[in-house]
Structures are given as C-alpha cells and as structure tokens.
Amino acid sequence: METNTAAAHTATGPAIVRTVADLRARVTGWRRTGDRIAMVPTMGALHDGHLSLVRIGFERAERVVVSIFVNPTQFAPHEDFQSYPRTEVRDMELLELLGTDLVFAPSAAEMYPPGFATRIETAGPALGLESDSRPHFFGGVATVVAKLLVAAMPDLAIFGEKDYQQLAVVRRMARDLGLPVEIVGAPTVREPDGLAMSSRNAYLNPEERDVAPVLHDVLMQTAAALRDGVPPDQALDDGRRAILAAGFRALDYLDLRDAQTLEPIFDRSAPGRPLRLLVAAWLGRTRLIDNCAV
C-alpha cells in the first residue's frame, strides 16, 4: 500500500506522472485500498486560490491529484497561450507543502495525440457571456476536462467559483455524459482589497493593479442595488458606466443570470430565485473576470 509520505514524492514536490497510463496505474493502486480520490484540474501558475482547492480535496478524500496542463484547445490564435505563465518547479514546491499525492503534467501530444479528431460541443450554460467573445473556449474546456476526468476517474473534482460559467459548463457536461464524478464548486479566494486571485493578475502593471479591485467593488454595489429593488437594466447600466469610468479600457459584459442555468434575467419577478452577477473587463492588456451572488 502506498502512503502519503516523502518516499512517494520527488525531491522537488509530489510524485509526478506525464502519461495517462501512469496516472491510471497510480489511481488503480489507491482504489484497491479503498481510498477516496479528489482531482483539482489546473493550468499551473498556482496561487492561494488553487491551493484552497487542494485543501478542500483533502477534506473530502484520502488522495488528491492535481493536474497541470496549459490546454491549447481553449486558446484562440490571438490569445495568450504562448505567454501564459508556466512555473512547474514552484508549483511542485507549493503542492508539496500541502502533501499533494500526485501531479499529472502531460504534454500536449499526450492529451491530443496525432489524429485526435473529437471535440465536445457545448450549449446550455455555455451560451453567451464568455462565449460571445471567446466562442472557441468552452468546447476546449469541456473536452480537456472530460479527458482528465476519464483518465483519473476521481470520486470528485474541484473547481473554483471565480470561473463561474466554466463551473456551470463542467457540471452540465458531467451530468450529460454520465460521468460518475461529483463536481464541487469552491469559493473565490481574494486579495485583501477584493481582487479575485488569478494567474493572469501577474500581467497587471502597478497602476493597473491599483485599479483592478474596482471590478469587485462594482459587483458588490450592483448586487446591493438589485437587492434594494433597483430594476436590473438600471443597476447593470450604472455598473457598466462605473467600470469604464474607473479606467478599464473595455467591458465584455456585466450581466445578471440565473445562478444554476445561467439563463438571462430580465426582472426580479421570481422571489427566492438564486441569481448571479458576472463580469469580464479589460484593464490594459489583461482580461479580468469575476462574479458574485445576488
């Protein structure tokens, strides 16, 4: 029986595997001993938000697998795939501090071997918001997450609520495909000034970093206005103006949606209906997203 000790880890962090075959072999060994397994899919460049997901994994399972894979199929040609931060050595050191059991860090060729020709088509919660400006995005996300879950077949997989629409898409995908994996949403982890933690925050220059928390401030103000009975159109228009006035160069969306289906909301006529505000805006060359419950 394997144990979660230094003997199972490399000198620079947890044990690391780079092929699906090796991942399955390790997970199969844990299953034979009855261990419950959690998976945390990431693209690396880990921060406290990611680490909070690993901690939740250990609260819910005996073993935690973290995947690190910058997925090329969710980036458009003009996006930041090549420049996306890659910090594997540091990531491994952080994961070692938490006692992470295993890291799956495959190559693009391992995930998408020659002749790969299948892609998941998404609808439902994938429609609108991110899809309006990134129509390629959720097909790439759903495909890679499905492959990761099929490769490891964990009991649960944990995703942060910061990427709220992604979480909704993954939940829908897992249900629709009948994957026997519980999809767990975890609260957004924030900097002291309210900015949602993100690997892309590293792109912000000092002046932009000072402005960035306005995004969360406006979300909170807009949610408060909606709870006070301000009509959605007025509350959203006020929020959009405030974001642009603060120095954001462009706003992709600030919208109110059903918290479960992500269908658009045009009024507050359904008392008790859970609602979610979602926003995406550009600060310099950095695209920031955030959301909050209403």
PDB file of all heavy atoms in Angstrom, residues 1-13:
ATOM      1  N   MET A   1       0.844  -1.200   0.000  1.00  0.00           N
ATOM      2  CA  MET A   1       0.000   0.000   0.000  1.00  0.00           C
ATOM      3  C   MET A   1       0.871   1.239   0.000  1.00  0.00           C
ATOM      4  O   MET A   1       1.812   1.369   0.759  1.00  0.00           O
ATOM      5  CB  MET A   1      -0.895   0.003   1.246  1.00  0.00           C
ATOM      6  CG  MET A   1      -1.696   1.285   1.444  1.00  0.00           C
ATOM      7  SD  MET A   1      -2.722   1.174   2.916  1.00  0.00           S
ATOM      8  CE  MET A   1      -3.380   2.838   2.953  1.00  0.00           C
ATOM      9  N   GLU A   2       0.550   2.224  -0.892  1.00  0.00           N
ATOM     10  CA  GLU A   2       1.294   3.466  -0.910  1.00  0.00           C
ATOM     11  C   GLU A   2       0.862   4.334   0.254  1.00  0.00           C
ATOM     12  O   GLU A   2      -0.273   4.281   0.709  1.00  0.00           O
ATOM     13  CB  GLU A   2       1.024   4.226  -2.212  1.00  0.00           C
ATOM     14  CG  GLU A   2       1.645   3.586  -3.417  1.00  0.00           C
ATOM     15  CD  GLU A   2       1.471   4.494  -4.606  1.00  0.00           C
ATOM     16  OE1 GLU A   2       1.772   5.689  -4.487  1.00  0.00           O
ATOM     17  OE2 GLU A   2       1.010   4.000  -5.635  1.00  0.00           O
ATOM     18  N   THR A   3       1.774   5.134   0.730  1.00  0.00           N
ATOM     19  CA  THR A   3       1.433   6.065   1.791  1.00  0.00           C
ATOM     20  C   THR A   3       1.791   7.466   1.360  1.00  0.00           C
ATOM     21  O   THR A   3       2.647   7.674   0.497  1.00  0.00           O
ATOM     22  CB  THR A   3       2.203   5.729   3.086  1.00  0.00           C
ATOM     23  OG1 THR A   3       3.605   5.769   2.806  1.00  0.00           O
ATOM     24  CG2 THR A   3       1.812   4.371   3.605  1.00  0.00           C
ATOM     25  N   ASN A   4       1.121   8.459   1.973  1.00  0.00           N
ATOM     26  CA  ASN A   4       1.358   9.854   1.624  1.00  0.00           C
ATOM     27  C   ASN A   4       2.563  10.375   2.399  1.00  0.00           C
ATOM     28  O   ASN A   4       2.464  11.154   3.318  1.00  0.00           O
ATOM     29  CB  ASN A   4       0.105  10.666   1.949  1.00  0.00           C
ATOM     30  CG  ASN A   4       0.188  12.070   1.405  1.00  0.00           C
ATOM     31  OD1 ASN A   4       1.028  12.366   0.565  1.00  0.00           O
ATOM     32  ND2 ASN A   4      -0.687  12.940   1.887  1.00  0.00           N
ATOM     33  N   THR A   5       3.742   9.897   2.075  1.00  0.00           N
ATOM     34  CA  THR A   5       4.971  10.258   2.769  1.00  0.00           C
ATOM     35  C   THR A   5       5.982  10.756   1.766  1.00  0.00           C
ATOM     36  O   THR A   5       5.797  10.670   0.558  1.00  0.00           O
ATOM     37  CB  THR A   5       5.551   9.041   3.513  1.00  0.00           C
ATOM     38  OG1 THR A   5       5.958   8.085   2.539  1.00  0.00           O
ATOM     39  CG2 THR A   5       4.528   8.417   4.440  1.00  0.00           C
ATOM     40  N   ALA A   6       7.112  11.238   2.292  1.00  0.00           N
ATOM     41  CA  ALA A   6       8.149  11.765   1.409  1.00  0.00           C
ATOM     42  C   ALA A   6       8.657  10.717   0.441  1.00  0.00           C
ATOM     43  O   ALA A   6       9.120  11.032  -0.650  1.00  0.00           O
ATOM     44  CB  ALA A   6       9.302  12.322   2.251  1.00  0.00           C
ATOM     45  N   ALA A   7       8.553   9.446   0.816  1.00  0.00           N
ATOM     46  CA  ALA A   7       9.043   8.390  -0.061  1.00  0.00           C
ATOM     47  C   ALA A   7       8.283   8.343  -1.375  1.00  0.00           C
ATOM     48  O   ALA A   7       8.798   7.876  -2.381  1.00  0.00           O
ATOM     49  CB  ALA A   7       8.937   7.038   0.647  1.00  0.00           C
ATOM     50  N   ALA A   8       7.049   8.836  -1.358  1.00  0.00           N
ATOM     51  CA  ALA A   8       6.231   8.817  -2.565  1.00  0.00           C
ATOM     52  C   ALA A   8       6.388  10.082  -3.381  1.00  0.00           C
ATOM     53  O   ALA A   8       5.733  10.256  -4.391  1.00  0.00           O
ATOM     54  CB  ALA A   8       4.755   8.639  -2.199  1.00  0.00           C
ATOM     55  N   HIS A   9       7.272  10.996  -2.942  1.00  0.00           N
ATOM     56  CA  HIS A   9       7.424  12.281  -3.578  1.00  0.00           C
ATOM     57  C   HIS A   9       8.818  12.416  -4.178  1.00  0.00           C
ATOM     58  O   HIS A   9       9.749  11.719  -3.805  1.00  0.00           O
ATOM     59  CB  HIS A   9       7.197  13.415  -2.566  1.00  0.00           C
ATOM     60  CG  HIS A   9       5.782  13.502  -2.094  1.00  0.00           C
ATOM     61  ND1 HIS A   9       5.153  12.484  -1.424  1.00  0.00           N
ATOM     62  CD2 HIS A   9       4.881  14.513  -2.194  1.00  0.00           C
ATOM     63  CE1 HIS A   9       3.927  12.855  -1.135  1.00  0.00           C
ATOM     64  NE2 HIS A   9       3.729  14.081  -1.588  1.00  0.00           N
ATOM     65  N   THR A  10       8.910  13.359  -5.129  1.00  0.00           N
ATOM     66  CA  THR A  10      10.219  13.668  -5.677  1.00  0.00           C
ATOM     67  C   THR A  10      10.912  14.663  -4.766  1.00  0.00           C
ATOM     68  O   THR A  10      10.328  15.179  -3.828  1.00  0.00           O
ATOM     69  CB  THR A  10      10.071  14.291  -7.081  1.00  0.00           C
ATOM     70  OG1 THR A  10       9.487  15.591  -6.947  1.00  0.00           O
ATOM     71  CG2 THR A  10       9.204  13.431  -7.976  1.00  0.00           C
ATOM     72  N   ALA A  11      12.162  14.969  -5.085  1.00  0.00           N
ATOM     73  CA  ALA A  11      12.910  15.923  -4.256  1.00  0.00           C
ATOM     74  C   ALA A  11      12.330  17.320  -4.335  1.00  0.00           C
ATOM     75  O   ALA A  11      12.559  18.146  -3.462  1.00  0.00           O
ATOM     76  CB  ALA A  11      14.374  15.934  -4.695  1.00  0.00           C
ATOM     77  N   THR A  12      11.589  17.630  -5.402  1.00  0.00           N
ATOM     78  CA  THR A  12      11.050  18.977  -5.580  1.00  0.00           C
ATOM     79  C   THR A  12       9.539  19.022  -5.436  1.00  0.00           C
ATOM     80  O   THR A  12       8.913  19.990  -5.821  1.00  0.00           O
ATOM     81  CB  THR A  12      11.437  19.526  -6.965  1.00  0.00           C
ATOM     82  OG1 THR A  12      10.967  18.618  -7.976  1.00  0.00           O
ATOM     83  CG2 THR A  12      12.932  19.684  -7.077  1.00  0.00           C
ATOM     84  N   GLY A  13       8.938  18.010  -4.875  1.00  0.00           N
ATOM     85  CA  GLY A  13       7.493  18.050  -4.700  1.00  0.00           C
ATOM     86  C   GLY A  13       6.882  16.682  -4.767  1.00  0.00           C
ATOM     87  O   GLY A  13       7.551  15.660  -4.596  1.00  0.00           O
TER      88      GLY A  13
END
